[in-house]
Amino acid sequence: MRPWCSRWNCWRSVELSLPNLEDIRAQVRLALAEDLGTGDRTAALIPADAQSRVRVICRETAVICGVAWFDEVFRQLDPTISIDWRCRDSEMIAPDQLVCELSGNTRALLTGERTALNYLQTLSGTATLAKQYADAVAGTGVRILDTRKTLPGLRLQQKYAATCGGCHNHRIGLFDAVLIKENHIKAAGSVTAAVKLAQQLASDIEIEVEVESQDELEEALAAGARRILLDNFTLEALRQAVGRVQGQARLEASGGVTLGTIREIAETGVDDISVGALTKDVKAIDLSMRFFDA
C-alpha cells in the first residue's frame, strides 16, 4: 500500500481526497477474506440465480462516509450488482433516511452485507464525531487534528473520514513527520538535544516537539522549534504560552480534550487542537439493510 502524504499534504491544510482505488481494493480484499474464509455457508441456502433488492437505512443523524469501500465490497463479490446512492461522503443525513438501494444476486448481497455495513457504519461514526468537534470550534480559526490513535488496519480510512467531518489530518504515520514526545526527549537527553538532532536528520519534513511545562516551552523555542505541542496544559497555561510565543511557532493543544472543553481551549488562541477521540472512541452509526419486494 502506498503512502498517501504526497496527495494529502499532511499536517497542513488538508483537502478532502478520496483514497486511491488500488488501496481500497486491497483493504476490501482483506476484509472479505476475514469474513468469507472458505465460503458463505448460510448464503448457500439461497438458489444461486435468485435476485433481490435491498435498502440501507440510517437510523440516526450522521455524516456519511465509506461509500467507496461499500461499493468495492459488492464489486468484488459480483460486479453486476447495482447500487443507487441517495447521499455521498461528507453529507449529513437525518434519521430514517434512505442511504442507498441495491439490486442483484441474492447470495452476493447477503455475503457482502456485514463487511459493507462495517465500513459504512464505522467510517460514518468517525466522520460524524469529527463534525461535532469541528462545529464546536466554528469561528475560532482553530484546526482540529486527528492522531495515530486509530483502529488497527483502518488508519487511512479513518483519517479520510475525519476530513469528511471537517477536521484535518495530523501525520499519517511515523514516516511522514517527526513528533518528538516525552520518551524521545528522555532518550535523547533534553528538548534541545532532540530538536537539534531532528533538524539535522529530518530537515525536509515537518518537526514538532511536545512540551509539558513553560520551561520546556522556552527550551523548545530557544532550540528553534517551529511547531510545539502543549501537552495537558491548563487553560491559563495555554493562554500564557500563546502570549509568550506570539507567532514564533505554531501551537497545538493536546490531552484530555472533550466536546465540553474544546471551545474554551480554542479560545485561548492556540492554532491547532489534536483529539485522539476522533478515531479512538468510535461509536458506529446505526444502519440497517433490509430486503424489499421489487
Side-chain angles (χ1 to χ4, degrees):
M1 214 175 286
R2 295 179 297 280
W4 293 0
C5 292
S6 60
R7 303 199 293 278
W8 280 26
N9 194 23
C10 303
W11 287 35
R12 298 172 182 87
S13 180
V14 178
E15 296 181 0
L16 186 67
S17 175
L18 185 67
N20 183 278
L21 182 56
E22 288 303 316
D23 293 334
I24 294 172
R25 286 172 177 164
Q27 293 157 2
V28 169
R29 195 174 298 118
L30 288 173
L32 282 173
E34 178 181 63
D35 199 31
L36 190 54
T38 58
D40 185 345
R41 300 298 183 87
T42 312
L45 301 174
I46 309 302
D49 60 350
Q51 300 285 305
S52 297
R53 296 181 67 188
V54 298
R55 292 190 177 110
V56 176
I57 303 294
C58 184
R59 300 301 185 189
E60 57 186 304
T61 300
V63 175
I64 286 296
C65 181
V67 168
W69 288 272
F70 187 100
D71 284 348
E72 184 59 25
V73 168
F74 292 105
R75 186 179 296 116
Q76 291 190 20
L77 290 171
D78 185 346
T80 67
I81 288 176
S82 172
I83 305 178
D84 178 18
W85 285 95
R86 304 303 173 86
C87 57
R88 305 301 297 179
D89 282 351
S90 78
E91 289 186 20
M92 177 75 78
I93 62 173
D96 298 322
Q97 183 172 330
L98 176 64
V99 176
C100 64
E101 291 187 357
L102 301 88
S103 60
N105 181 267
T106 305
R107 284 188 179 181
L109 290 170
L110 289 167
T111 297
E113 174 184 359
R114 178 41 49 203
T115 300
L117 286 179
N118 281 349
Y119 273 120
L120 200 62
Q121 70 186 20
T122 301
L123 299 185
S124 294
T126 298
T128 300
L129 185 59
K131 179 172 173 52
Q132 293 172 4
Y133 274 94
D135 287 349
V137 300
T140 65
V142 172
R143 298 185 313 166
I144 305 302
L145 307 176
D146 58 22
T147 71
R148 288 171 48 241
K149 295 177 182 178
T150 53
L151 300 178
L154 289 178
R155 169 70 54 81
L156 303 180
Q157 297 95 315
Q158 282 194 285
K159 282 185 170 284
Y160 169 69
T163 68
C164 284
C167 294
H168 298 266
N169 297 137
H170 210 282
R171 57 180 178 165
I172 300 300
L174 295 173
F175 56 87
D176 59 307
V178 172
L179 176 52
I180 303 166
K181 298 177 71 66
E182 177 187 9
N183 286 335
H184 299 103
I185 292 168
K186 287 183 178 179
S190 69
V191 170
T192 301
V195 171
K196 293 300 183 183
L197 282 170
Q199 291 168 341
Q200 293 172 22
L201 300 174
S203 59
D204 60 329
I205 59 177
E206 191 105 42
I207 299 171
E208 182 174 18
V209 58
E210 175 185 278
V211 301
E212 298 182 330
S213 67
Q214 300 294 344
D215 287 343
E216 286 189 345
L217 173 61
E218 291 291 346
E219 187 179 354
L221 289 171
R226 293 294 174 261
R227 188 178 177 104
I228 300 173
L229 187 154
L230 308 171
D231 184 43
N232 284 301
F233 276 42
T234 65
L235 292 175
E236 181 55 32
L238 288 174
R239 284 188 282 267
Q240 290 175 10
V242 170
R244 167 64 183 89
V245 172
Q246 294 187 348
Q248 295 179 58
R250 190 170 188 92
L251 295 179
E252 173 188 334
S254 182
V257 180
T258 69
L259 280 171
T261 63
I262 196 166
R263 182 76 188 192
E264 286 184 309
I265 295 172
E267 289 174 347
T268 65
V270 295
D271 302 292
D272 304 310
I273 303 173
S274 54
V275 183
L278 291 182
T279 52
K280 179 173 65 73
D281 302 336
V282 179
K283 176 183 177 297
I285 296 302
D286 187 4
L287 301 169
S288 65
M289 182 183 288
R290 293 288 182 265
F291 281 64
F292 69 100
D293 294 331

